[in-house]
Amino acid sequence: MNTAVAGLDEKEWSGWAGSSACPGHCGDERLLSMIRPSGRALAWLLVICVAAVSATGCSGENGATDLPPMPQGATEPFDLYLQRESDLIVEVMHVLTDRCLADAGFSARRDSVDESELENGPLMGKPLQPRTVERARKYGFGMPLKPRQGEPRKVVDDDPARSRAYDECMAKAKERLGGAEGFEEVVGQYGNLRNTLTHEMNDEADEILSKFASKLTECLREKGYERADGGDLDAEEGPRQFGISTGSYTRGEAGEHAEAGDGAAGLPEQVAYVPTTEESDFAVTFVRCGQRTGVFAEVDERWEGMQQAIIEDHAAEFAELNPKIKVLAKKAAGLVGK
């Protein structure tokens, strides 16, 4: 049986530009939010990086900090953010925690690193989604989730003894990774940097959408969609400004990932976004209007330059944190034999 778990309250809407949504995954772990910020359930603008850049570092001017070298295989400016390394650090922390729990006699999810938990794609989602009629019909303005985002990420404790053991095991895992205080500081700062990149890119994308607001509004009006006040599309409001009811995220049956009697219950296995029919219809119209007005082309044309400008603005943070993340990732890999 599917049950709705999350929709998008209009009061929660904070712009058409949003980072990748990850219900069922983001926030499920006590430290994961430091690495991967939770995203909006619905967004027209979901940020991705599609630019190609040099594999060398960029020099600053007037005494500005130089950017560190791009990682091997980088294809876009935001690849400077070491997403896979940061994911590995968090994944190893949980492997070490689970091994400790198992040694203490409690059930644990895994004994080795799950490669599916390591991000291999771009840092953020592509702007102005959906862009295809197929995706619009299937997801509306929601996010198609990666398989790992629908998998159970933890067990829910209702046994005080297991909860205490979890906290103790987590602290030991952090200590092995570099000391609890130092570990949390570096991981937290790197997560904050990602949040900053996301927010600044969202602001850029909102500006582009606002530039095309009149053209988009005219196109939508021709197709029968109009704001109650007759005004133009507002980049600060969601689809409901056009009277569109939105869908929700749903969970499937709960998975069993704990032995009976140890005080832990499995979280649901499936999380997916289900749009309303009118949302899907409206999303299809948005796709066609986006193509017709040229707003998609404008975003794509400017995307490389926007990414590059943003990372250059944060050269000091990258120069300080990337080496630290590399050290932590190397240590994490060694602790689990990778």
Side-chain angles (χ1 to χ4, degrees), residues 79-290:
D79 281 345
L80 187 60
Y81 187 90
L82 305 177
Q83 183 62 52
R84 184 176 176 84
E85 286 85 348
S86 62
D87 281 350
L88 174 63
I89 294 164
V90 172
E91 177 68 3
V92 169
M93 179 190 68
H94 287 290
V95 168
L96 296 177
T97 300
D98 282 359
R99 288 177 179 177
C100 174
L101 282 172
D103 290 342
F106 297 99
S107 67
R109 178 175 178 260
R110 59 210 184 273
D111 183 62
S112 60
V113 170
D114 182 351
E115 288 291 332
S116 70
E117 294 294 338
L118 306 183
E119 182 62 68
N120 293 305
L123 179 64
M124 303 171 192
K126 194 170 185 177
L128 284 173
Q129 294 293 342
R131 294 217 186 173
T132 66
V133 170
E134 179 182 13
R135 173 167 167 171
R137 286 191 173 131
K138 187 172 183 179
Y139 298 107
F141 294 102
M143 274 288 293
L145 301 179
K146 298 178 182 179
R148 67 181 175 84
Q149 291 175 321
E151 293 175 356
R153 280 295 293 162
K154 70 170 185 177
V155 290
V156 180
D157 296 334
D158 58 13
D159 177 4
R162 189 182 191 286
S163 182
R164 286 193 300 271
Y166 179 88
D167 290 340
E168 292 171 2
C169 287
M170 177 74 78
K172 291 178 181 178
K174 293 176 184 177
E175 192 65 35
R176 293 183 66 186
L177 281 164
E181 183 176 344
F183 172 83
E184 290 187 354
E185 181 180 5
V186 173
V187 172
Q189 288 176 348
Y190 211 56
N192 288 338
L193 176 58
R194 173 176 175 147
N195 289 341
T196 299
L197 299 177
T198 302
H199 294 156
E200 292 186 6
M201 187 60 80
N202 291 343
D203 289 343
E204 295 287 343
D206 272 340
E207 287 185 15
I208 295 174
L209 184 65
S210 295
K211 174 183 174 180
F212 281 82
S214 294
K215 291 182 179 180
L216 284 168
T217 300
E218 180 181 354
C219 181
L220 292 169
R221 185 179 291 121
E222 290 175 2
K223 304 298 182 181
Y225 297 104
E226 187 169 7
R227 286 172 52 108
D229 62 5
D232 285 348
L233 176 150
D234 188 334
E236 297 301 318
E237 298 181 23
R240 293 182 187 175
Q241 65 184 291
F242 290 93
I244 305 300
S245 63
T246 54
S248 61
Y249 285 93
T250 61
R251 294 193 190 278
E253 293 293 338
E256 296 298 329
H257 294 274
E259 297 175 2
D262 71 355
L267 287 178
E269 291 184 351
Q270 299 297 324
V271 181
Y273 184 76
V274 180
T276 63
T277 299
E278 67 176 350
E279 178 189 347
S280 293
D281 292 341
F282 181 60
V284 168
T285 300
F286 172 76
V287 169
R288 290 170 176 158
C289 286

Side-chain angles (χ1 to χ4, degrees), residues 307-325:
Q307 286 186 73
Q308 189 65 35
I310 289 172
I311 66 170
E312 289 177 2
D313 284 344
H314 296 281
E317 292 101 311
F318 278 113
E320 176 188 358
L321 294 173
N322 272 21
K324 294 179 179 179
I325 289 294

